[in-house]
Amino acid sequence: MTKKQLALEVIQRLKNEYPATECTLEYDDAWKLLVSVRLAAQCTDARVNIVVQDLYAKFPDVEALANASPDEIEAIVKPCGLGRSKARDISACMKVLHEKYADQVPDDFDTLLSLPGVGRKSANLIMGDVYDKPAIVTDTHCIRLCNRIGLVDQIKEPKKVEMALWKIIPPEESNQFCHRMVDHGRAVCTARTKPYCDRCCLADICQKNGL
């Protein structure tokens, strides 16, 4: 079985296992997803979803956050960890959105990458979830599972995993595939315990069953 054939089989099985999948960061506007994904670094989505409620209560739109000082932002987002650097990035990003893009989040990947604090993971998440464009988000679950299953060979660098997946994942499946990898990584192919291979829908095609 080639890697492309393996990828198609994994996609279909995960579709059957997790028919409804979505980003677990809660947002109702593109700029809020940008904020949340920055806060989610080394923090759980569940905690981020709680913390941002206080942030948006005080700063309800892009302009308000753009005018807030990093210290004011840090005081609220500190529970997410790395508060100073995250607050600085959020402040700078919102200033650019307000001053250059009329409070709108760009729908161009390279433009997104030019925003302060926005890396490939964040940019892909925006492209896929907000603008319904092909996107591959290589978070820790995706990287771990792709290596275990055999979709990539001992590649741990997010960008390299992303580039490898673009070669074997159909563009129209890319965004939902990544969300389902997160679902599977949380429920079955776990990181902090031995993976539950006995109830894994991919067990018979996984190259590292039980490892």
Side-chain angles (χ1 to χ4, degrees):
M1 185 182 292
T2 66
K3 278 184 167 46
K4 185 169 286 189
Q5 291 171 327
L6 177 61
L8 293 176
E9 183 65 24
V10 169
I11 287 169
Q12 188 55 53
R13 293 192 188 190
L14 291 181
K15 273 186 179 181
N16 294 336
E17 195 76 7
Y18 310 99
T21 188
E22 60 184 359
C23 178
T24 52
L25 290 169
E26 298 172 358
Y27 67 97
D28 56 14
D29 208 322
W31 68 269
K32 291 183 178 179
L33 182 56
L34 265 185
V35 170
S36 288
V37 73
R38 181 64 188 95
L39 292 177
Q42 299 183 39
C43 181
T44 65
D45 289 1
R47 181 181 291 272
V48 171
N49 290 337
I50 293 171
V51 170
V52 292
Q53 293 178 29
D54 291 335
L55 185 67
Y56 302 147
K58 187 169 184 179
F59 307 110
D61 52 35
V62 172
E63 183 177 5
L65 261 183
N67 291 328
S69 71
D71 287 344
E72 290 177 299
I73 298 172
E74 182 185 355
I76 299 174
V77 305
K78 193 173 182 179
C80 293
L82 305 174
R84 180 164 297 181
S85 62
K86 291 179 179 180
R88 184 179 62 244
D89 286 344
I90 290 170
S91 173
C93 184
M94 294 302 112
K95 279 182 169 61
V96 174
L97 287 185
H98 181 59
E99 296 169 2
K100 191 173 180 179
Y101 298 106
D103 297 356
Q104 300 301 306
V105 176
D107 63 354
D108 174 76
F109 186 80
D110 290 331
T111 304
L112 286 168
L113 283 181
S114 72
L115 297 174
V118 176
R120 298 188 69 85
K121 175 182 174 181
S122 302
N124 271 303
L125 193 61
I126 292 291
M127 294 296 287
D129 277 35
V130 175
Y131 295 116
D132 295 319
K133 295 185 178 183
I136 291 180
V137 178
T138 49
D139 75 335
T140 56
H141 292 291
C142 182
I143 293 170
R144 183 177 73 257
L145 269 64
C146 284
N147 276 280
R148 282 180 176 173
I149 295 166
L151 294 175
V152 301
D153 301 312
Q154 295 299 311
I155 304 175
K156 300 298 175 65
E157 185 181 326
K159 183 178 179 180
K160 289 182 179 179
V161 173
E162 180 192 337
M163 295 301 105
L165 290 179
W166 278 121
K167 297 177 182 178
I168 59 175
I169 303 293
E172 67 275 12
E173 300 284 358
S174 57
N175 189 48
Q176 295 297 293
F177 164 77
C178 293
H179 284 320
R180 292 189 173 101
M181 291 290 265
V182 172
D183 293 336
H184 198 60
R186 287 173 174 163
V188 178
C189 197
T190 53
R192 296 185 179 181
T193 64
K194 187 175 181 180
Y196 300 101
C197 299
D198 57 320
R199 52 186 174 90
C200 178
C201 63
L202 306 174
D204 61 309
I205 57 173
C206 178
Q207 292 190 9
K208 297 184 179 179
N209 188 353
L211 298 180

